[in-house]
């Protein structure tokens, strides 16, 4: 859930000690691409060589392990159409999304109508640029535009990537239907 030691990685190793750029003891992850959460921030990915990784900066606490993704894909969306009732077979698109989040990295969630076209959470919130590596204890702001496309099989796709924490409490969408006359 964020913090100094965020243990959101598989097969991870925890380092806690003197300031260092080299994390050793990773022979079980040899030649693997790993994610690093250190001193409360996501440091990105590194490749393990000779059982270690050399970080871009010195750290005193780190979690190093395999990254993973958490994905969600809704069922086919069928919201009521103004003129013709159920829109299950009508072309429609999601035009806005609102999310209620807890303990979530400011770039911890992506959204879209397919996993091939995902957008990140907005970097500007309430007119302010979100500071890098912010982890919101709670997030409940106005909905944002959703770059959906018109399709009879409209779906909501959400994706979170370790080590960035993300807890989704709710996702609220608004849709626009293509009314048939």
């Amino acid at each position: 859930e964020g913090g100094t030691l965020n243990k959101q990685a598989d097969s991870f190793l925890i380092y806690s000690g003197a300031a260092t750029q080299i994390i050793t003891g990773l022979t079980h992850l040899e030649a693997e691409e790993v994610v690093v959460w250190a001193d409360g921030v996501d440091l990105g990915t590194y490749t393990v060589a000779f059982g270690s990784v050399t970080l871009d900066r010195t750290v005193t606490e780190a979690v190093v392990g395999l990254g993973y993704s958490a994905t969600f894909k809704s069922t086919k969306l069928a919201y009521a159409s103004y003129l013709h009732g159920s829109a299950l077979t009508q072309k429609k698109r999601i035009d806005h999304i609102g999310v209620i989040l807890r303990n979530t990295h400011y770039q911890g969630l992506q959204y879209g109508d397919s996993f091939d076209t995902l957008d990140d959470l907005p970097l500007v919130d309430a007119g302010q640029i979100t500071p890098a590596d912010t982890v919101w204890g709670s997030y409940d702001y106005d909905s944002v535009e959703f770059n959906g496309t018109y399709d009879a099989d409209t779906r909501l796709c959400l994706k979170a990537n370790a080590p960035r924490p993300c807890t989704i409490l709710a996702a609220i969408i608004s849709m626009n239907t293509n009314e048939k006359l």
Side-chain angles (χ1 to χ4, degrees):
E1 295 186 339
T4 304
L5 288 175
N6 182 41
K7 300 174 185 174
Q8 293 184 333
D10 283 336
S11 302
F12 63 82
L13 173 119
I14 298 172
Y15 173 82
S16 184
T20 185
Q21 280 187 269
I22 301 172
I23 307 293
T24 61
L26 300 168
T27 54
H28 66 294
L29 298 172
E30 187 64 34
E32 295 287 344
E33 184 176 84
V34 294
V35 295
V36 179
W37 183 274
D39 295 336
V41 298
D42 175 13
L43 295 187
T45 59
Y46 295 84
T47 301
V48 176
F50 305 105
S52 66
V53 292
T54 302
L55 306 177
D56 294 335
R57 64 188 215 189
T58 60
V59 300
T60 57
E61 296 188 279
V63 175
V64 181
L66 298 172
Y68 60 86
S69 295
T71 58
F72 166 82
K73 185 175 184 178
S74 72
T75 60
K76 186 175 179 179
L77 299 173
Y79 283 78
S81 164
Y82 176 70
L83 295 176
H84 301 287
S86 175
L88 188 59
T89 60
Q90 287 185 351
K91 288 193 175 190
K92 59 205 156 290
R93 73 177 185 92
I94 300 171
D95 57 13
H96 283 83
I97 184 171
V99 289
I100 301 173
L101 309 170
R102 180 177 179 273
N103 298 332
T104 298
H105 189 275
Y106 81 116
Q107 291 294 274
L109 177 66
Q110 295 176 298
Y111 58 90
D113 58 8
S114 79
F115 291 111
D116 296 328
T117 57
L118 294 172
D119 290 321
D120 293 316
L121 290 172
L123 294 175
V124 175
D125 188 45
Q128 301 290 320
I129 295 174
T130 304
D133 293 303
T134 294
V135 175
W136 294 301
S138 63
Y139 181 95
D140 184 359
Y141 296 102
D142 293 338
S143 63
V144 295
E145 284 192 40
F146 188 102
N147 293 319
T149 56
Y150 279 98
D151 195 324
D153 189 12
T154 299
R155 296 175 188 251
L156 171 64
C157 294
L158 302 173
K159 183 177 181 183
N161 293 307
R164 296 175 177 176
C166 180
T167 303
I168 303 167
L169 301 177
I172 304 94
I173 58 170
S174 64
M175 296 185 63
N176 188 351
T177 59
N178 186 9
E179 300 288 354
K180 297 178 188 174
L181 297 178

